[in-house]
């Protein structure tokens, strides 16, 4: 891995000279410690930078093994958050990618008898394919083996060393290759393997095997940031979502904080980025990996006044619950050391279980996301994972649950509602829109119609409130609950009978509110089910220019009602046709 350090240094020297002569961005090595503290002293500091793109990230995924459904879930949550911002008319950036250095990758390559870079190239492409197959709207796919990222890591290390927070010492402790982290004695215990019956030392936190290690390496003075971290947490309630994980983070900093080992001897780990000016050491994989978020945002080549143009600070880091500490303790402390603002929020989600058991290759219950997407379809699987997934606790994955959600929510709920409104010959959606669009205060409103109108008027805000709380699952449930209410509305008002009785005005009124309910539902579902929501809006005849959030209001569109596509007949041509194989 050849370094472009010389070229980068010349570019940065030019920027550094320019920055000193103007207000705004100041080279990190020129900042005073007081200025560093001020940058993130309160929640107001996180809110100051408003004129920037919305920036959401997934974790970057280890390439030592194939993707699983948990990786897909992280991607989906970030994708929904990004698409929601775009729906609201904002510029948004989504970054995902692969973490390609470290002992875990090095050992996986040794086992397969291939060069680590060859393993990374093949497996990184698999993650890229997964993002494409799942219709993830990522703007960046970063690899930690990218030359630009290596430049950013080397520059970050140099600034960290200049800050005085790095020192060299001998380290002893339990190292977990699976978690790529050291654990203190208090977090290691003897266990017995259920497969072999042999005893082994394991992390009390993850259950993964640990090994005793003694080595000379570099440390980061993480304990120097205890008070500043705790003050930052106090100033920014809700910084980690959900609250139960934030409480765990605060407790860790209060009771378990130690200085952080940030390098490994090359004799143990040579697959990584060498420490600048010390080729005997390799930069710790988590320091390397975390920096990817600012590499994507253009670091370190931030021109004066343009340091936020590519999104930093990130608005949301989406992470699994097992890596919260790295993102909520180590990462903000490293950024504080350089005077850089921390991410605005960290969203931590639970894991996926199979029959309430942790997915494991040895047990044989790992879900292949490619097979699942092929079997159920992209949007049905997106629907299930977002609907059933959880932030505060783990969720259970099963084919039975997927079929149940599909039949009740998509096929019997949304698809059935669309057919009931658009397919009958008794009425015309277009005529109903033309007759009722301009009549805001009908004197002849049925009680049921008035109730449905109230539901319509409240829907957008209810969904937006959930999204503001970084809860896509509850947002989707809110939309689907509205769909179920609309189906009940049609059942209670019986437009078929009224049509036979010649009550045309009432029929048009009922169909107008049902069609408006579908139109708003289709607009709001776009971040969750991009393809099916688009097809729903096509069937309603909603123009592509009128599918943004400003049209997700009652009577915001008078031009729809004539389908752009054939509506078809029978179940197979429905928006959500029957599933051919259910088990």
């Amino acid at each position: 891995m050849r370094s472009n350090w010389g070229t980068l240094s010349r570019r940065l020297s030019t920027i550094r000279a320019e920055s000193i002569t103007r207000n705004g961005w100041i080279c990190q090595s020129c900042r005073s410690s007081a200025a560093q503290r001020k940058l993130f002293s309160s929640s107001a500091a996180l809110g100051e930078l408003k004129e920037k793109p919305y920036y959401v990230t997934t974790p970057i995924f280890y390439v030592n093994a194939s993707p699983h459904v948990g990786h897909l879930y992280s991607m989906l949550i970030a994708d929904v958050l990004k698409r929601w911002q775009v729906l609201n008319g904002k510029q948004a950036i989504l970054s995902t990618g692969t973490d390609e250095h470290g002992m875990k990758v090095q050992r996986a390559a040794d086992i397969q008898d291939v060069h680590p870079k060859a393993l990374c190239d093949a497996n990184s492409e698999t993650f890229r394919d997964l993002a494409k197959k799942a219709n993830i709207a990522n703007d960046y796919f970063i690899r930690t083996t990218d030359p630009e990222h290596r430049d950013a890591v080397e520059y970050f290390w140099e600034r960290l060393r200049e800050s005085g927070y790095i020192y060299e010492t001998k380290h002893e402790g339990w190292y977990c290759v699976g978690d790529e982290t050291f654990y203190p004695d208090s977090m290691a215990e003897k266990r017995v393997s259920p497969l072999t019956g042999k005893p082994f030392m394991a992390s009390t936190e993850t259950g993964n095997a640990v090994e005793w290690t003694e080595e000379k390496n570099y440390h980061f003075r993480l304990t120097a940031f205890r008070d500043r971290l705790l003050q930052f947490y106090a100033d920014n309630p809700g910084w980690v979502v959900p609250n139960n994980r934030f409480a765990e983070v605060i407790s860790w900093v209060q009771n378990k904080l130690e200085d952080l080992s940030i390098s490994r001897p090359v004799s143990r780990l040579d697959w990584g980025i060498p420490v600048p000016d010390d080729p005997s050491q390799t930069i710790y994989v988590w320091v390397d990996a975390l920096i990817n978020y600012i590499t994507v945002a253009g670091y370190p080549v931030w021109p004066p006044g343009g340091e936020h143009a590519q999104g930093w600070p990130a608005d949301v880091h989406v992470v699994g619950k097992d890596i919260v500490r790295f993102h909520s303790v180590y990462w903000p402390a490293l950024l504080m050391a350089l005077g850089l603002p921390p991410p605005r929020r960290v969203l931590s989600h639970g894991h996926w279980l199979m029959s309430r058991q942790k997915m494991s290759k040895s047990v044989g219950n790992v879900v292949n996301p490619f097979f699942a997407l092929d079997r159920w379809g992209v949007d049905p699987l997106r629907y299930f994972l977002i609907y059933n997934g959880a932030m505060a606790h783990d969720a259970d994955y099963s084919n039975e649950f997927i079929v149940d959600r599909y039949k009740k929510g998509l096929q019997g709920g949304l698809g059935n509602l669309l057919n009931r409104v658009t397919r009958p010959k008794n009425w015309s959606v277009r005529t109903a829109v033309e007759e009722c669009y301009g009549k805001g205060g009908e004197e002849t409103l049925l009680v049921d119609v008035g109730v449905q109108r109230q539901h319509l008027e409240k829907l957008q805000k209810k969904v937006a409130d959930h999204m503001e709380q970084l809860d896509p699952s509850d947002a989707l449930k809110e939309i689907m609950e509205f769909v179920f209410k609309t189906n009940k509305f049609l059942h209670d008002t019986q437009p078929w009978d009224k049509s036979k009785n010649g009550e045309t005005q009432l029929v048009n009124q009922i169909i107008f509110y049902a069609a408006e309910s579908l139109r708003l539902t289709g607009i709001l579902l776009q971040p969750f089910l991009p393809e099916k929501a688009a097809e729903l809006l096509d069937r309603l005849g909603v123009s592509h220019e009128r599918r943004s959030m400003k049209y997700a209001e009652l009577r915001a569109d008078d031009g729809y009602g004539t389908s752009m596509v054939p509506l078809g007949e029978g179940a197979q041509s429905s928006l959500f046709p029957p599933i051919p194989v259910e088990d």
Side-chain angles (χ1 to χ4, degrees):
M1 295 183 297
R2 213 171 111 213
S3 172
N4 299 315
W5 181 242
T7 303
L8 179 66
S9 295
R10 288 191 293 274
R11 293 169 66 192
L12 290 168
S13 295
T14 302
I15 292 175
R16 189 179 301 182
E18 293 174 354
S19 71
I20 294 173
T21 63
R22 52 183 291 178
N23 295 326
W25 185 83
I26 304 173
C27 165
Q28 305 309 321
S29 62
C30 300
R31 289 184 188 267
S32 68
S33 58
Q36 292 176 20
R37 285 191 294 273
K38 183 178 179 181
L39 185 57
F40 34 75
S41 60
S42 69
S43 56
L46 293 180
E48 288 172 0
L49 309 172
K50 295 181 180 178
E51 296 303 320
K52 74 171 195 67
Y54 184 92
Y55 178 30
V56 58
T57 70
T58 74
I60 52 173
F61 306 112
Y62 282 125
V63 293
N64 62 302
S66 301
H68 55 67
V69 71
H71 298 132
L72 175 58
Y73 184 59
S74 294
M75 289 182 179
L76 285 178
I77 295 300
D79 184 62
V80 171
L81 293 177
K82 182 222 168 156
R83 289 178 183 271
W84 181 260
Q85 296 298 320
V86 173
L87 183 62
N88 280 276
K90 299 178 182 178
Q91 183 186 359
I93 298 169
L94 167 56
S95 177
T96 188
T98 45
D99 186 355
E100 304 184 14
H101 293 138
M103 187 70 73
K104 191 187 296 190
V105 176
Q106 181 174 295
R107 288 189 179 178
D110 288 342
I111 292 171
Q112 298 179 41
D113 195 24
V114 296
H115 190 277
K117 186 59 163 64
L119 176 71
C120 292
D121 289 344
N123 287 356
S124 178
E125 197 62 29
T126 305
F127 281 93
R128 193 189 298 266
D129 291 343
L130 178 61
K132 182 177 181 181
K133 190 175 185 68
N135 199 7
I136 305 300
N138 57 295
D139 302 274
Y140 295 95
F141 190 98
I142 185 171
R143 301 177 57 186
T144 54
T145 53
D146 291 339
E148 296 83 2
H149 178 67
R150 172 171 175 153
D151 290 343
V153 172
E154 290 178 337
Y155 186 78
F156 193 99
W157 181 280
E158 292 283 6
R159 303 289 75 74
L160 202 59
R161 183 166 55 188
E162 288 178 7
S163 72
Y165 290 111
I166 292 181
Y167 64 95
E168 194 173 7
T169 188
K170 181 181 178 182
H171 186 85
E172 297 180 353
W174 296 101
Y175 192 79
C176 178
V177 174
D179 302 332
E180 291 285 14
T181 189
F182 278 101
Y183 287 108
D185 285 337
S186 60
M187 296 187 67
E189 65 181 12
K190 184 177 287 188
R191 294 188 180 183
V192 176
S193 170
L195 297 178
T196 66
K198 295 181 179 180
F200 70 102
M201 294 299 294
S203 160
T204 59
E205 188 173 55
T206 65
N208 292 330
V210 297
E211 54 193 45
W212 183 257
T213 302
E214 298 180 10
E215 61 189 35
K216 187 176 182 181
N217 54 26
Y218 290 99
H219 276 55
F220 171 61
R221 298 184 191 278
L222 183 60
T223 52
F225 291 87
R226 177 183 282 108
D227 291 344
R228 290 165 69 179
L229 284 169
L230 292 173
Q231 186 61 53
F232 174 75
Y233 300 152
D235 290 342
N236 295 278
W239 184 65
V240 175
V241 177
N243 286 332
N244 63 319
R245 297 236 170 81
F246 199 11
E248 292 171 2
V249 167
I250 295 170
S251 176
W252 175 277
V253 173
Q254 289 173 331
N255 303 305
K256 297 182 180 179
L257 201 65
E258 296 180 345
D259 284 355
L260 180 66
S261 171
I262 57 172
S263 73
R264 303 296 308 280
V266 168
S267 58
R268 294 183 185 272
L269 173 66
D270 62 5
W271 180 242
I273 299 176
V275 169
D277 300 325
D278 187 354
S280 71
Q281 294 280 319
T282 302
I283 295 175
Y284 175 43
V285 63
W286 266 106
V287 174
D288 172 358
L290 289 165
I291 293 170
N292 97 86
Y293 301 125
I294 54 175
T295 302
V296 168
Y299 181 85
V301 189
W302 283 337
E307 60 271 18
H308 310 300
Q310 290 175 257
W312 194 259
D315 291 86
V316 184
H317 285 330
V318 177
V319 302
K321 68 176 186 179
D322 55 328
I323 55 174
V324 173
R325 185 170 71 252
F326 301 94
H327 288 81
S328 304
V329 179
Y330 303 162
W331 184 220
L334 289 165
L335 291 167
M336 287 177 180
L338 268 62
L340 297 175
R344 288 178 168 174
R345 296 179 91 181
V346 176
L347 174 60
S348 161
H349 62 74
H351 289 167
W352 283 92
L353 311 177
M354 177 74 81
S355 300
R356 295 181 176 81
Q357 288 186 332
K358 183 178 180 181
M359 292 188 188
S360 167
K361 287 183 180 179
S362 59
V363 177
N365 63 350
V366 176
V367 176
N368 183 316
F370 291 97
F371 292 168
L373 288 163
D374 285 336
R375 181 173 187 177
W376 306 114
V378 173
D379 278 0
L381 187 61
R382 286 175 65 110
Y383 176 81
F384 167 74
L385 291 176
I386 297 167
Y387 195 105
N388 275 44
M391 300 301 151
H393 54 82
D394 295 336
D396 217 17
Y397 183 102
S398 80
N399 293 337
E400 181 182 351
F401 293 162
I402 296 174
V403 171
D404 183 67
R405 288 289 176 223
Y406 184 90
K407 283 185 169 182
K408 291 181 179 178
L410 298 180
Q411 184 182 9
L414 185 57
N416 183 45
L417 176 61
L418 182 63
N419 289 342
R420 295 172 84 186
V421 172
T422 60
R423 282 185 172 179
K425 307 299 182 185
N426 311 46
W427 54 74
S428 160
V429 173
R430 181 61 196 151
T431 299
V433 172
E434 289 175 336
E435 290 294 318
C436 300
Y437 176 79
K439 300 176 181 178
E442 299 94 331
E443 298 296 330
T444 57
L445 271 181
L446 294 171
V447 172
D448 291 317
V449 173
V451 171
Q452 185 66 16
R453 183 172 71 177
Q454 291 176 6
H455 292 324
L456 263 167
E457 291 171 343
K458 296 175 181 177
L459 179 64
Q460 185 194 117
K461 185 179 185 308
K462 285 183 175 181
V463 177
D465 286 346
H466 290 306
M467 292 301 293
E468 178 64 27
Q469 296 301 315
L470 302 182
D471 195 342
S473 179
D474 277 1
L476 180 57
K477 289 172 183 174
E478 192 74 57
I479 297 171
M480 294 309 299
E481 183 61 30
F482 176 71
V483 169
F484 300 141
K485 288 177 181 177
T486 305
N487 264 316
K488 184 178 185 301
F489 163 69
L490 276 184
H491 175 79
D492 292 345
T493 54
Q494 293 294 309
W496 305 273
D497 293 344
K498 290 179 173 57
S499 174
K500 292 176 185 177
N501 297 333
E503 299 176 77
T504 305
Q505 184 179 1
L506 286 178
V507 170
N508 282 336
Q509 197 177 87
I510 293 166
I511 297 307
F512 171 70
Y513 278 98
E516 281 287 84
S517 298
L518 275 167
R519 184 179 66 82
L520 267 68
T521 295
I523 291 174
L524 294 173
L525 277 177
Q526 289 175 105
F528 304 88
L529 314 176
E531 294 177 351
K532 289 297 185 180
E535 186 180 343
L536 184 155
L537 294 170
D538 286 346
R539 292 188 180 215
L540 279 177
V542 178
S543 74
H544 293 278
E545 293 74 27
R546 296 185 175 186
R547 298 184 180 186
S548 62
M549 188 61 76
K550 71 177 182 179
Y551 291 100
E553 296 180 357
L554 180 62
R555 288 188 169 84
D557 184 357
D558 63 351
Y560 76 100
T562 303
S563 179
M564 301 174 180
V565 296
L567 294 174
E569 296 181 1
Q572 291 301 327
S573 59
S574 295
L575 184 65
F576 295 100
I579 301 174
V581 180
E582 296 185 5
D583 55 11

